[in-house]
Amino acid sequence: MHFALLPAHRAAAAPSAPAVADDDRTLDNAAFHQVIEAAATTLAELGVRRGDVVAVLLPNTADLVVTLFAAWRLGAAVTPINPVLTTDEIRYQATDASSVVLVTDNARTDDLGTSVLLTADLYAGTEGAPAVDPHDEDRALLIYTSGTTGRPKGVRLDHANLTAQCLALVDVLGLTADDHSLLILPLFHANGIVAGTLSPLLAGGRTTVAGRFKAATFFDRVEQVRPTYFSAVPTIYQMLVDLPADVRPDTSSIRYGICGAAPASVELLAKVEQRYGFPLVEGYGLSECTCVATVNPYDGVRKAGTVGPAIPGVTVQVLGPDGAVLPAGEAGDVVISGPNVMRGYLNRPEDTTETLVDGRLRTGDIGFLDEDGYLTLVDRAKDLIIRGGENIYPKEIESVIYQLPQVAEAAVVGRPDPKFGEVPVLFVALTDGAVLDRDAILTHAAAKLAAYKLPAEITTLPSLPKNAVGKLDKPTLRKFEAPTSA
């Protein structure tokens, strides 16, 4: 079913059944449909039409979910923006997406590149905006993902992508009207939107949108709302297993937890299941394939150390340097094909051509398939850093650091971290005679980058190592143990 039609269908079928809740309110199906209609009317009165883009800058709340469906009711797309981004980063995304309006909960005086609608006024529409005829090819989401060229790029997903992805997840996760998702991942990520919200709603179930995650209070929320599943990154699961031994929550409602966005150790998966009594199903995907490509079955053979087989309708292959499909057990480039693969990057034809080849998505990850089709990842895109589930590309940080005139060379690599899995560390070489300390570099970076992208360590060297062709030698830097930091 097209998601523009889903709220009305749910309201007609079971008006008093629960739909979406957050920290402040609970909406049954009838109320959910009603507030979506009101929000769509408001957006229409502001000029939102089919084909337009609505930006949304909100924390995890029901208002964000309502805005998604309200825009889709009008045939518009949504680009969700990470609330912790700087003004410069927010403005870039809003303008790159050609957003006609930005929905937020905070009155701001800075220029965000488009007109602003406060959530306090989101439901003020009065005339009633008729829903447009839904089209599968209508754009649904523009999810921005960091790119190796420095600036994030918009992943174009249409409603056919969303429907195919969610139907596959309903199938592989066994979702029904009895399922209840506890959403703790951010709603500016595809995972939070697709796996945590849209899929259970499509199955007839419900979603509770939690606010900011806190390990100490997480299981209080579990015992309060009784979810059947939730999705999280390895960092969150590590925080949960690190809770004091006297924390013994009632987790009997949880059928499974989903683990993704970054590699999880076999030990971590076992610790969660042994301590809390529910299994973790590890999966793999990226925004460019809407959300998920593979997942270990919750009710079948789960192979620890793998990210499972391809979900229904999706094909995962491993290619050699010549583009030929490799046999089981041989590592190569992981490519994905299926109806969940994106339509391309917004306004980036060269990037699109490089990433989508013969209808297949080149993930940039290295892995191998076993005889049963289970995928094991052995490496990932060369420079990608995954900090607590957040993707960070070094080039974006390096571009900011190079704005400092004292910097001659800059390189960012990932370093293992016990809490976040990996953190960015920066190496710089200064121009002759220049003086630049760590605090000055961090102050400059903090004005341009979100906090999670800031380097955890900064090391100044006389010059940075190079390889045989003169390029910065990042493998050497990854092994470097800095004796001092600037």
Side-chain angles (χ1 to χ4, degrees):
M1 174 180 292
H2 195 288
F3 280 103
L5 303 176
L6 182 61
H9 171 79
R10 289 174 57 102
S16 60
V20 175
D22 62 14
D23 291 346
D24 299 315
R25 59 178 171 166
T26 299
L27 298 171
D28 62 20
N29 284 329
F32 186 49
H33 182 226
Q34 184 178 19
V35 295
I36 289 169
E37 286 188 313
T41 297
T42 302
L43 293 174
E45 291 175 353
L46 292 174
V48 176
R49 300 291 183 266
R50 165 170 266 148
D52 286 339
V53 177
V54 175
V56 57
L57 179 67
L58 290 171
N60 273 20
T61 63
D63 287 328
L64 199 159
V65 179
V66 169
T67 302
L68 289 174
F69 282 94
W72 295 338
R73 181 177 172 84
L74 301 174
V78 176
T79 187
I81 302 177
N82 184 345
V84 307
L85 296 184
T86 65
T87 297
D88 179 67
E89 292 167 319
I90 294 168
R91 185 188 307 113
Y92 166 76
Q93 182 172 334
T95 55
D96 187 71
S98 300
S99 306
V100 298
V101 64
L102 183 148
V103 179
T104 186
D105 60 351
N106 182 16
R108 304 173 63 125
T109 58
D110 43 358
D111 175 19
L112 299 181
T114 188
S115 61
V116 171
L117 171 64
L118 295 178
T119 51
D121 303 317
L122 181 60
Y123 309 107
T126 58
E127 295 300 319
V132 301
D133 292 333
H135 296 165
D136 285 344
E137 63 271 21
D138 283 341
R139 276 190 312 185
L141 289 171
L142 287 172
I143 302 292
Y144 274 72
T145 181
S146 295
T148 55
T149 56
R151 282 292 201 177
K153 50 187 180 286
V155 175
R156 295 189 289 116
L157 302 174
D158 62 20
H159 279 279
N161 290 138
L162 283 189
T163 300
Q165 177 74 96
C166 292
L167 286 173
L169 286 178
V170 169
D171 183 356
V172 76
L173 296 176
L175 299 179
T176 71
D178 294 326
D179 274 298
H180 180 183
S181 164
L182 177 58
L183 178 64
I184 58 176
L185 293 180
L187 277 166
F188 56 82
H189 276 184
N191 194 315
I193 294 173
V194 174
T197 306
L198 299 183
S199 294
L201 291 179
L202 184 63
R206 58 188 292 202
T207 296
T208 292
V209 181
R212 185 179 297 275
F213 171 80
K214 294 181 181 178
T217 60
F218 172 73
F219 285 116
D220 294 336
R221 194 63 180 271
V222 167
E223 292 178 340
Q224 175 193 6
V225 304
R226 309 295 293 161
T228 60
Y229 79 97
F230 66 98
S231 182
V233 298
T235 297
I236 287 178
Y237 287 114
Q238 186 64 55
M239 292 178 182
L240 295 179
V241 298
D242 287 342
L243 288 172
D246 60 355
V247 176
R248 298 180 179 276
D250 177 2
T251 61
S252 58
S253 69
I254 299 177
R255 295 200 291 129
Y256 50 77
I258 301 172
C259 186
S265 68
V266 174
E267 293 78 10
L268 177 59
L269 300 177
K271 285 180 180 178
V272 172
E273 184 163 2
Q274 289 168 6
R275 176 164 181 182
Y276 296 117
F278 57 84
L280 287 190
V281 293
E282 191 174 9
Y284 163 72
L286 54 164
S287 299
E288 286 85 346
C289 70
T290 306
C291 182
V292 179
T294 71
V295 66
N296 271 284
Y298 75 96
D299 61 348
V301 176
R302 295 191 301 277
K303 297 186 180 184
T306 80
V307 290
I311 64 173
V314 172
T315 299
V316 175
Q317 296 174 306
V318 176
L319 307 183
D322 60 355
V325 177
L326 295 176
E330 291 193 25
D333 294 323
V334 177
V335 298
I336 298 169
S337 55
N340 60 334
V341 171
M342 68 170 181
R343 303 313 175 199
Y345 295 112
L346 180 67
N347 302 324
R348 303 286 187 94
E350 293 182 359
D351 288 332
T352 298
T353 299
E354 181 180 345
T355 305
L356 296 179
V357 179
D358 297 328
R360 296 183 295 191
L361 172 66
R362 297 175 59 187
T363 67
D365 291 316
I366 306 300
F368 64 88
L369 296 167
D370 68 12
E371 295 289 349
D372 299 318
Y374 284 63
L375 176 65
T376 297
L377 298 172
V378 297
D379 203 348
R380 55 182 181 267
K382 182 178 180 181
D383 292 327
L384 178 66
I385 299 167
I386 302 180
R387 178 192 182 276
E390 294 281 1
N391 288 354
I392 301 172
Y393 273 89
K395 181 65 175 177
E396 184 179 8
I397 304 173
E398 293 163 358
S399 296
V400 169
I401 301 304
Y402 271 120
Q403 295 171 3
L404 292 165
Q406 301 95 326
V407 173
E409 297 175 326
V412 174
V413 297
R415 178 157 293 168
D417 181 86
K419 180 177 181 181
F420 295 106
E422 202 174 24
V423 294
V425 297
L426 169 67
F427 294 86
V428 295
L430 304 182
T431 57
D432 288 344
V435 176
L436 187 66
D437 63 21
R438 177 182 185 278
D439 290 342
I441 295 174
L442 280 178
T443 298
H444 170 76
K448 302 287 186 178
L449 299 167
Y452 70 84
K453 300 177 185 177
L454 297 178
E457 299 172 10
I458 301 175
T459 300
T460 299
L461 299 174
S463 64
L464 302 191
K466 317 289 191 307
N467 62 20
V469 296
K471 292 184 178 181
L472 290 176
D473 186 358
K474 289 191 173 182
T476 295
L477 289 176
R478 290 187 183 99
K479 301 173 184 176
F480 185 88
E481 294 186 8
T484 59
S485 292

